[in-house]
Amino acid sequence: MTDYACQRTPASRALVPPLPVAVFFVLAAALASLLWGAGPVGAVEALQVMTGQGSEEARFVVMELRLPRLATAMATGLALAIAGALLQALTRNPLAEPGLLGVSGGSAFAVTLAILLGASSATMTTLVAQAGALAGCALVMLATRSRGLAADPVRLVLAGATVTGLLLSLTSVMMLADQRAADEVRFWITGSIAGTSLADLVAVLPSMAVAGVLVVIVASPLAALSLGERAAMGLGHRPGRIRALVVVAVALLVGGATALAGPLVFAGLVVPFIARALAGPDIRKTLWLCLPIGPGMILVADTLARVIGAPAELPLGVITAMLGAPVLLIIVRSRRMPAL
Amino acid sequence: MSHSSARTPDNVPDQPGLAAQALSLAHGRYPVIKTLNLELPQGKVTAIVGPNGCGKSTLLNGLARVHVPAGGAVLLNGRDIHTLPSREVARQLALLPQDNTAPEGLTVTDLIRFGRQPHQGFLRRWTEQDQAILEQALAAADLAELADRPLDTLSGGQRQRAWIAMSIAQQTPLLLLDEPTSALDLGHQIEVFELIRQLAGQGKTVAMVVHDLVSACRYADHLVAMADGEILARGAPSDILDPDLIHRLYGVHCDILQDPADGTPVLVNLRKSF
C-alpha cells in the first residue's frame, strides 16, 4: 500500500475554499446571463439598464425577459443538482440520474397526453408535467413495493429504467397519432426555458419549497445511511423512512425542474459529480456545493444557448448535453469511479 | 470513560441492561430463534458462539432492535425496545454490524463523528463537548495519528478499530458487535479483542458474535453457546466448555487443555470421528 498520508484526500478538504469560489461562479454566471442574449441588447446597454439608464426597449429585454429567465434557470439548476445528489447517495450509484425514478418519463407522457387532448397553454403544461412526474415516480415505487423490495436501490433503478422506457415508447406512439402534438412535444422534450414566464416559476415554487424542507430533514440521516443499513439503524435512524422522504423530495424537485425546462439530460448527473469531487464523500457537503454549482451550470448553458446561434436560440437541453457529456467522459476516464 | 445517561428520561431503570424474553426471530416464514431467554451480564463481555446458521447473528441483530421479533420481546432497561424511540435506544446501545460500508474517502474522524448523531438534535450542532468526546474516542482506539486518513487506506484492524471508535463516541453503556474480527488476521484480531476488553474494563456491557471458539473463550467472561436457534449452554468459558458441548455444537471430537498462562480452555486433537 502506498503512503497516502501525504496525499490530499477529498474527504479532508473543507468546504471553505470551494464554496466561496462556487458562489462567485454563480454570481458571475448570473451577471453574464443578464448582459448577453440572443437579441440586439448588448452588454453595455444591459449595464446601463442596471444602473437605471438605457432605453425603454432595453429595459424591457433585461428586466422583463432576461431577469425572469435567470430566476427560472437558477431554480431548474438547483432542483436538478440537489435531486441528482440525493438520488446518487440513495442508490449508492455515482451514475444515477433523476430521470431513473420514472420522473422524466412520467412528465413527457403527461405533457404529450395533455397536448394531444388539446392543451397548449404554458402554465397548463407546468402543472401537467409535475403531476406526470409524480405519477411516474409513484409507478416505479409501486413496481418495487409490490415485491416488498423497496429497500433495494438496485431494483429501484431497474424498475425506474423499465417504467421510463415504457412511458417514453407510449409517448412516441401518441406523437405518431398527431402531427401538431408531435411538433410541440418535440420542442418541449429537448428542454428549453425560452418560453417560460414567472408564472410558471411561481407554479412550481410550493412543491420545491416542500422538497427543500425534506432535504434539510433528511440530509444527516442519509449521510448515516452511507455507512450501511444496519449501521444507520444502530445510530437511531429509520432507513425505510429516509428512503421514502428522499424519493418524494427527488420527485418534487425533478418534477418541478422538468415542468419548467423539459427533461434536461446530464445536469442532474454531472453537477453532483463535480460537487463530490470537490467536497468529498459526505452528502451534506455535496448538497452545500450543489446549491451554487447547479444554478451556475444551467445559467452558463442557457446563456450559451442564446449567444451561440444568435439571433436564433439553441434548445437548452442540447447545450447541457453538449457540456455535460464531455465533462462526464473526462471524469470517467481520468479517475477511478468512486464507490459510494 | 463514564457513559452519560443524563439525557434519557429513565435514569433509574428497574432492570438495567439488555435482555431477551421468550424472543422468537424469523427470516420471513423460516423461524430461526425460538422463545429464547437471555440476559447480558452487566459490565462483562458476552460471546455468542455456535456453528454457521445457528442464528447467532440473527440473535444479535434482534437484541439490537434491527431485526423485528416474531414473538416475545427484547427488554432495554426493563422496557420493550421496540416501544422506545430508535434515537433514544441509540443513546443506550451501540451496534457494530457486519455489513458495514463506508463511502470512498471517508476519514476516521468523519466516521467517528457519526457516533454523535444520536445525541444531536435537529438544530443542535457540533459542540465542544462533541469534539472532546471525538478526541477521547480517537485516543481510546489508539487512532489519534490516523485521524485524517481515509478508511480505505487503513489496514483491516485499524479500520475495525475506527468503527469501534465510532461506537465509543456514541457513549452507550451497551455495545453489540457482529463478528468484529471475522476478516482479520491473528495480529489484528488480538488488537481488536484487546480494545473490546478495555471497553468492558471501563464498565461497558459488551455482547459479540465470535466465530472462533478459542478467541471467544480467551476474551469473553460469559459464553453463550447456540445450536439450531437454541442456547445449549451458558456461563464462564472454563465452566461450560467440555468435549461433549463441542461435539453437540460442531459435530467434532476434541480434547480440551488449559492455557498454562491464564487457564483459558484450548481445543486440541480436533477430529471428525473417533
Side-chain angles (χ1 to χ4, degrees):
Chain A
M1 194 173 287
T2 52
D3 184 21
Y4 285 86
C6 49
Q7 274 184 6
R8 265 176 70 92
T9 57
S12 60
R13 288 180 200 162
L15 272 179
V16 174
L19 193 57
V21 172
V23 169
F24 179 77
F25 162 67
V26 70
L27 291 178
L31 183 65
S33 83
L34 287 178
L35 293 185
W36 288 286
V41 178
V44 177
E45 228 176 323
L47 270 177
Q48 284 173 344
V49 171
M50 277 182 250
T51 54
Q53 302 153 346
S55 67
E56 188 56 31
E57 191 204 339
R59 202 202 65 80
F60 177 80
V61 167
V62 174
M63 305 308 280
E64 303 292 325
L65 294 182
R66 289 182 191 170
L67 198 58
R69 191 163 170 169
L70 169 113
T72 308
M74 288 186 77
T76 306
L78 188 69
L80 287 176
I82 298 287
L86 289 176
L87 203 62
Q88 288 173 12
L90 182 75
T91 57
R92 316 189 72 133
N93 179 351
L95 292 179
E97 215 208 350
L100 279 180
L101 270 184
V103 178
S104 316
S107 283
F109 181 79
V111 168
T112 310
L113 190 65
I115 291 174
L116 201 68
L117 294 176
S120 67
S121 133
T123 314
M124 166 77 185
T125 311
T126 308
L127 293 174
V128 168
Q130 206 164 18
L134 291 174
C137 179
L139 208 60
V140 172
M141 290 291 104
L142 217 66
T144 48
R145 183 63 63 85
S146 64
R147 299 274 303 141
L149 295 161
D152 188 342
V154 176
R155 278 172 210 273
L156 184 70
V157 169
L158 285 176
T162 311
V163 170
T164 301
L166 180 68
L167 287 171
L168 287 180
S169 54
L170 288 177
T171 305
S172 304
V173 171
M174 286 195 293
M175 282 164 67
L176 287 178
D178 186 331
Q179 192 53 42
R180 179 191 70 92
D183 290 342
E184 275 195 54
V185 170
R186 208 167 284 126
F187 171 77
W188 182 83
I189 222 164
T190 326
S192 172
I193 52 173
T196 51
S197 67
L198 268 187
D200 295 328
L201 184 57
V202 170
V204 300
L205 276 185
S207 62
M208 288 200 180
V210 171
V213 172
L214 290 180
V215 172
V216 172
I217 292 173
V218 92
S220 274
L222 183 60
L225 201 55
S226 72
L227 302 180
E229 176 108 6
R230 291 201 178 104
M233 291 171 92
L235 290 169
H237 300 298
R238 290 157 65 184
R241 197 169 64 174
I242 299 169
R243 289 204 182 86
L245 290 179
V246 168
V247 166
V248 171
V250 170
L252 289 174
L253 288 169
V254 181
T258 310
L260 287 175
L264 291 178
V265 199
F266 286 122
L269 180 63
V270 171
V271 173
F273 219 105
I274 294 172
R276 200 165 38 243
L278 294 171
D282 193 317
I283 179 67
R284 290 164 292 190
K285 289 182 184 171
T286 308
L287 287 172
W288 273 112
L289 270 181
C290 282
L291 290 181
I293 297 180
M297 289 285 276
I298 295 294
L299 279 174
V300 168
D302 186 49
T303 308
L304 287 177
R306 286 182 277 166
V307 172
I308 286 180
E313 275 194 33
L314 288 175
L316 176 59
V318 172
I319 303 290
T320 58
M322 279 175 10
L323 285 179
V327 171
L328 197 67
L329 280 177
I330 289 167
I331 296 170
V332 169
R333 284 183 60 88
S334 66
R335 60 212 293 272
R336 227 150 34 95
M337 289 291 290
L340 289 182
Chain B
M1 195 186 304
S2 72
H3 53 262
S4 79
S5 51
R7 254 174 256 103
T8 50
D10 47 345
N11 278 338
V12 195
D14 10 312
Q15 227 186 325
L18 196 63
Q21 209 172 54
L23 181 69
S24 297
L25 297 165
H27 287 300
R29 292 185 289 122
Y30 305 100
V32 180
I33 306 272
K34 298 145 226 160
T35 54
L36 178 146
N37 290 299
L38 177 69
E39 209 168 304
L40 298 183
Q42 296 277 306
K44 302 263 195 261
V45 176
T46 300
I48 306 171
V49 297
N52 289 338
C54 73
K56 50 191 193 300
S57 281
T58 306
L59 173 61
L60 193 90
N61 285 321
L63 289 171
R65 56 95 170 73
V66 164
H67 198 122
V68 182
V74 173
L75 301 181
L76 176 63
N77 301 336
R79 293 165 64 186
D80 184 344
I81 202 166
H82 284 278
T83 64
L84 299 168
S86 188
R87 173 193 290 261
E88 199 182 308
V89 175
R91 292 183 201 139
Q92 298 288 321
L93 181 159
L95 169 68
L96 182 56
Q98 217 184 328
D99 54 358
N100 290 331
T101 56
E104 204 170 295
L106 193 84
T107 66
V108 172
T109 303
D110 292 339
L111 179 66
I112 299 175
R113 286 173 72 107
F114 279 106
R116 298 306 299 155
Q117 277 195 345
H119 300 274
Q120 289 173 314
F122 187 63
L123 290 172
R124 187 177 162 271
R125 291 295 155 201
W126 193 254
T127 64
E128 275 178 36
Q129 195 203 352
D130 291 324
Q131 185 62 32
I133 291 166
L134 164 68
E135 277 156 28
Q136 279 172 27
L138 278 170
D142 196 19
L143 288 166
E145 286 175 11
L146 303 173
D148 294 324
R149 285 269 296 267
L151 289 181
D152 38 281
T153 69
L154 300 181
S155 75
Q158 291 168 333
R159 199 176 306 144
Q160 198 62 302
R161 288 209 321 258
W163 281 95
I164 294 174
M166 180 184 95
S167 67
I168 295 174
Q170 216 170 323
Q171 292 212 304
T172 58
L174 286 153
L175 173 59
L176 306 184
L177 308 103
D178 193 357
E179 298 204 22
T181 59
S182 59
L184 304 180
D185 66 37
L186 187 64
H188 289 129
Q189 281 187 22
I190 290 172
E191 175 181 316
V192 168
F193 278 129
E194 287 189 347
L195 174 58
I196 292 169
R197 280 265 32 130
Q198 193 186 320
L199 295 174
Q202 291 157 355
K204 262 193 214 293
T205 302
V206 180
M208 56 184 182
V209 169
V210 181
H211 220 70
D212 174 26
L213 190 59
V214 176
S215 301
C217 292
R218 187 174 304 276
Y219 293 103
D221 308 295
H222 190 78
L223 206 62
V224 174
M226 288 181 68
D228 205 17
E230 287 172 31
I231 296 178
L232 295 189
R234 68 184 94 192
S238 50
D239 292 346
I240 65 163
L241 213 62
D242 57 36
D244 179 51
L245 178 63
I246 303 294
H247 184 254
R248 283 161 68 206
L249 285 173
Y250 300 103
V252 296
H253 301 279
C254 70
D255 298 323
I256 295 179
L257 302 180
Q258 286 195 333
D259 185 331
D262 55 10
T264 307
V266 179
L267 312 186
V268 294
N269 194 20
L270 286 151
R271 63 219 178 265
K272 189 68 194 169
S273 56
F274 284 108

